[in-house]
Short mmCIF file of all heavy atoms in Angstrom, two decimals:
data_model
loop_
_atom_site.label_atom_id
_atom_site.label_comp_id
_atom_site.label_asym_id
_atom_site.label_seq_id
_atom_site.Cartn_x
_atom_site.Cartn_y
_atom_site.Cartn_z
N ALA A 83 -8.06 20.80 5.65
CA ALA A 83 -9.01 21.02 4.56
C ALA A 83 -10.16 20.02 4.57
O ALA A 83 -11.15 20.22 3.88
CB ALA A 83 -8.27 20.95 3.22
N ARG A 84 -10.03 18.93 5.33
CA ARG A 84 -11.09 17.91 5.36
C ARG A 84 -11.71 17.74 6.75
O ARG A 84 -12.40 16.78 7.01
CB ARG A 84 -10.52 16.58 4.88
CG ARG A 84 -10.08 16.62 3.42
CD ARG A 84 -9.81 15.28 2.80
NE ARG A 84 -10.62 14.18 3.26
CZ ARG A 84 -11.88 13.92 2.86
NH1 ARG A 84 -12.47 14.71 2.01
NH2 ARG A 84 -12.53 12.88 3.32
N ASP A 85 -11.47 18.69 7.63
CA ASP A 85 -12.01 18.62 8.99
C ASP A 85 -13.17 19.61 9.12
O ASP A 85 -12.96 20.83 9.01
CB ASP A 85 -10.89 18.95 9.98
CG ASP A 85 -11.32 18.78 11.43
OD1 ASP A 85 -12.54 18.78 11.71
OD2 ASP A 85 -10.42 18.65 12.28
N PRO A 86 -14.40 19.14 9.35
CA PRO A 86 -15.54 20.05 9.41
C PRO A 86 -15.48 21.07 10.56
O PRO A 86 -16.24 22.03 10.56
CB PRO A 86 -16.75 19.11 9.58
CG PRO A 86 -16.21 17.79 9.92
CD PRO A 86 -14.77 17.75 9.51
N ARG A 87 -14.56 20.90 11.51
CA ARG A 87 -14.39 21.90 12.57
C ARG A 87 -13.68 23.15 12.06
O ARG A 87 -13.61 24.16 12.75
CB ARG A 87 -13.60 21.31 13.74
CG ARG A 87 -14.31 20.14 14.42
CD ARG A 87 -13.44 19.49 15.46
NE ARG A 87 -12.28 18.86 14.81
CZ ARG A 87 -11.28 18.28 15.47
NH1 ARG A 87 -11.28 18.27 16.81
NH2 ARG A 87 -10.29 17.72 14.83
N ASN A 88 -13.14 23.06 10.83
CA ASN A 88 -12.39 24.18 10.25
C ASN A 88 -13.24 24.90 9.21
O ASN A 88 -13.95 24.26 8.43
CB ASN A 88 -11.09 23.67 9.62
CG ASN A 88 -10.21 22.98 10.63
OD1 ASN A 88 -10.21 23.33 11.81
ND2 ASN A 88 -9.46 21.99 10.19
N GLY A 89 -13.13 26.22 9.19
CA GLY A 89 -13.94 27.03 8.30
C GLY A 89 -13.72 26.78 6.82
O GLY A 89 -14.63 26.89 6.03
N GLY A 90 -12.53 26.43 6.43
CA GLY A 90 -12.24 26.20 5.01
C GLY A 90 -12.38 24.76 4.58
O GLY A 90 -11.97 24.41 3.48
N ALA A 91 -12.95 23.91 5.42
CA ALA A 91 -13.04 22.49 5.10
C ALA A 91 -13.96 22.25 3.91
O ALA A 91 -14.98 22.91 3.75
CB ALA A 91 -13.54 21.70 6.30
N ASP A 92 -13.58 21.32 3.07
CA ASP A 92 -14.39 20.93 1.92
C ASP A 92 -14.35 19.42 1.83
O ASP A 92 -13.37 18.84 1.36
CB ASP A 92 -13.84 21.57 0.65
CG ASP A 92 -14.70 21.28 -0.57
OD1 ASP A 92 -15.60 20.41 -0.49
OD2 ASP A 92 -14.48 21.94 -1.61
N LEU A 93 -15.40 18.77 2.28
CA LEU A 93 -15.42 17.31 2.32
C LEU A 93 -15.60 16.68 0.95
O LEU A 93 -15.56 15.46 0.82
CB LEU A 93 -16.51 16.84 3.28
CG LEU A 93 -16.32 17.34 4.73
CD1 LEU A 93 -17.43 16.82 5.62
CD2 LEU A 93 -14.96 16.96 5.27
N THR A 94 -15.77 17.49 -0.10
CA THR A 94 -15.83 16.94 -1.46
C THR A 94 -14.43 16.72 -2.03
O THR A 94 -14.28 16.12 -3.08
CB THR A 94 -16.62 17.86 -2.41
OG1 THR A 94 -15.90 19.08 -2.60
CG2 THR A 94 -18.02 18.13 -1.88
N ILE A 95 -13.43 17.24 -1.36
CA ILE A 95 -12.04 17.06 -1.80
C ILE A 95 -11.52 15.76 -1.17
O ILE A 95 -11.48 15.64 0.05
CB ILE A 95 -11.15 18.24 -1.36
CG1 ILE A 95 -11.69 19.56 -1.88
CG2 ILE A 95 -9.71 18.02 -1.78
CD1 ILE A 95 -11.58 19.77 -3.36
N PRO A 96 -11.12 14.79 -1.99
CA PRO A 96 -10.63 13.53 -1.41
C PRO A 96 -9.25 13.70 -0.78
O PRO A 96 -8.50 14.61 -1.14
CB PRO A 96 -10.55 12.60 -2.63
CG PRO A 96 -10.36 13.51 -3.79
CD PRO A 96 -11.09 14.79 -3.44
N GLY A 97 -8.94 12.81 0.15
CA GLY A 97 -7.60 12.78 0.73
C GLY A 97 -6.60 12.23 -0.28
O GLY A 97 -6.96 11.80 -1.37
N ARG A 98 -5.37 12.22 0.10
CA ARG A 98 -4.32 11.70 -0.79
C ARG A 98 -4.47 10.20 -0.96
O ARG A 98 -4.59 9.47 0.02
CB ARG A 98 -2.95 12.08 -0.27
CG ARG A 98 -2.76 13.58 -0.31
CD ARG A 98 -1.34 13.95 0.01
NE ARG A 98 -1.21 15.38 -0.05
CZ ARG A 98 -0.51 16.01 -0.99
NH1 ARG A 98 0.10 15.33 -1.92
NH2 ARG A 98 -0.44 17.31 -0.99
N GLN A 99 -4.42 9.76 -2.20
CA GLN A 99 -4.63 8.35 -2.55
C GLN A 99 -3.32 7.58 -2.55
O GLN A 99 -2.25 8.16 -2.71
CB GLN A 99 -5.27 8.25 -3.94
CG GLN A 99 -6.60 8.97 -4.05
CD GLN A 99 -7.62 8.37 -3.11
OE1 GLN A 99 -7.87 7.18 -3.13
NE2 GLN A 99 -8.20 9.20 -2.26
N ALA A 100 -3.43 6.27 -2.41
CA ALA A 100 -2.25 5.40 -2.54
C ALA A 100 -1.82 5.39 -4.00
O ALA A 100 -2.63 5.55 -4.91
CB ALA A 100 -2.58 3.99 -2.07
N LEU A 101 -0.54 5.20 -4.21
CA LEU A 101 0.01 5.24 -5.57
C LEU A 101 1.09 4.18 -5.72
O LEU A 101 1.97 4.05 -4.87
CB LEU A 101 0.61 6.64 -5.82
CG LEU A 101 1.29 6.88 -7.15
CD1 LEU A 101 0.28 6.79 -8.28
CD2 LEU A 101 1.97 8.23 -7.15
N HIS A 102 1.00 3.43 -6.80
CA HIS A 102 2.02 2.44 -7.18
C HIS A 102 2.43 2.75 -8.61
O HIS A 102 1.58 2.80 -9.49
CB HIS A 102 1.47 1.01 -7.17
CG HIS A 102 0.95 0.55 -5.87
ND1 HIS A 102 1.71 -0.17 -4.99
CD2 HIS A 102 -0.26 0.69 -5.27
CE1 HIS A 102 0.98 -0.45 -3.92
NE2 HIS A 102 -0.21 0.06 -4.07
N THR A 103 3.71 2.97 -8.87
CA THR A 103 4.17 3.18 -10.24
C THR A 103 5.45 2.38 -10.49
O THR A 103 6.26 2.18 -9.59
CB THR A 103 4.46 4.67 -10.56
OG1 THR A 103 5.43 5.17 -9.66
CG2 THR A 103 3.18 5.50 -10.48
N LEU A 104 5.59 1.94 -11.72
CA LEU A 104 6.78 1.19 -12.15
C LEU A 104 7.28 1.80 -13.44
O LEU A 104 6.49 2.06 -14.37
CB LEU A 104 6.43 -0.28 -12.37
CG LEU A 104 7.56 -1.16 -12.91
CD1 LEU A 104 8.68 -1.31 -11.88
CD2 LEU A 104 7.03 -2.51 -13.33
N SER A 105 8.58 2.04 -13.51
CA SER A 105 9.22 2.53 -14.73
C SER A 105 10.37 1.59 -15.07
O SER A 105 11.02 1.04 -14.18
CB SER A 105 9.76 3.95 -14.54
OG SER A 105 8.70 4.85 -14.28
N MET A 106 10.59 1.40 -16.38
CA MET A 106 11.65 0.49 -16.83
C MET A 106 12.42 1.14 -17.98
O MET A 106 11.87 1.93 -18.74
CB MET A 106 11.05 -0.84 -17.27
CG MET A 106 10.27 -1.52 -16.16
SD MET A 106 9.55 -3.08 -16.68
CE MET A 106 10.95 -4.14 -16.39
N ARG A 107 13.68 0.77 -18.06
CA ARG A 107 14.55 1.30 -19.11
C ARG A 107 15.56 0.22 -19.49
O ARG A 107 16.08 -0.48 -18.62
CB ARG A 107 15.27 2.54 -18.58
CG ARG A 107 16.29 3.14 -19.51
CD ARG A 107 16.89 4.41 -18.92
NE ARG A 107 15.90 5.44 -18.69
CZ ARG A 107 15.56 6.38 -19.59
NH1 ARG A 107 16.13 6.39 -20.77
NH2 ARG A 107 14.66 7.29 -19.29
N THR A 108 15.85 0.09 -20.77
CA THR A 108 16.90 -0.81 -21.22
C THR A 108 17.67 -0.10 -22.33
O THR A 108 17.08 0.65 -23.12
CB THR A 108 16.34 -2.17 -21.71
OG1 THR A 108 17.43 -3.06 -21.94
CG2 THR A 108 15.51 -2.03 -22.97
N GLY A 109 18.99 -0.29 -22.32
CA GLY A 109 19.78 0.44 -23.30
C GLY A 109 21.20 -0.06 -23.41
O GLY A 109 21.57 -1.08 -22.84
N VAL A 110 21.95 0.70 -24.15
CA VAL A 110 23.35 0.37 -24.39
C VAL A 110 24.17 1.66 -24.31
O VAL A 110 23.73 2.72 -24.76
CB VAL A 110 23.54 -0.35 -25.76
CG1 VAL A 110 23.14 0.54 -26.92
CG2 VAL A 110 24.95 -0.86 -25.92
N LYS A 111 25.37 1.54 -23.71
CA LYS A 111 26.28 2.68 -23.61
C LYS A 111 27.51 2.37 -24.44
O LYS A 111 28.11 1.31 -24.32
CB LYS A 111 26.71 2.90 -22.16
CG LYS A 111 25.63 3.44 -21.27
CD LYS A 111 26.18 3.67 -19.87
CE LYS A 111 25.09 4.12 -18.93
NZ LYS A 111 25.59 4.34 -17.57
N THR A 112 27.89 3.34 -25.26
CA THR A 112 29.16 3.25 -25.98
C THR A 112 30.08 4.31 -25.36
O THR A 112 29.71 4.95 -24.38
CB THR A 112 28.97 3.53 -27.48
OG1 THR A 112 28.62 4.91 -27.66
CG2 THR A 112 27.89 2.64 -28.09
N GLU A 113 31.21 4.51 -25.96
CA GLU A 113 32.14 5.50 -25.44
C GLU A 113 31.53 6.91 -25.46
O GLU A 113 31.79 7.72 -24.58
CB GLU A 113 33.44 5.47 -26.25
CG GLU A 113 34.60 6.14 -25.57
CD GLU A 113 35.89 5.88 -26.32
OE1 GLU A 113 36.27 4.71 -26.45
OE2 GLU A 113 36.50 6.88 -26.75
N THR A 114 30.71 7.19 -26.46
CA THR A 114 30.15 8.54 -26.58
C THR A 114 28.61 8.60 -26.51
O THR A 114 28.06 9.67 -26.30
CB THR A 114 30.57 9.20 -27.92
OG1 THR A 114 30.16 8.34 -28.99
CG2 THR A 114 32.07 9.42 -27.96
#
Side-chain angles (χ1 to χ4, degrees):
R84 295 194 33 79
D85 186 340
R87 297 174 294 176
N88 301 328
D92 185 348
L93 301 181
T94 67
I95 303 290
R98 294 189 180 249
Q99 301 298 306
L101 177 65
H102 300 265
T103 58
L104 176 67
S105 297
M106 301 179 85
R107 176 177 298 270
T108 189
V110 63
K111 289 182 184 180
T112 68
E113 197 171 300
T114 56

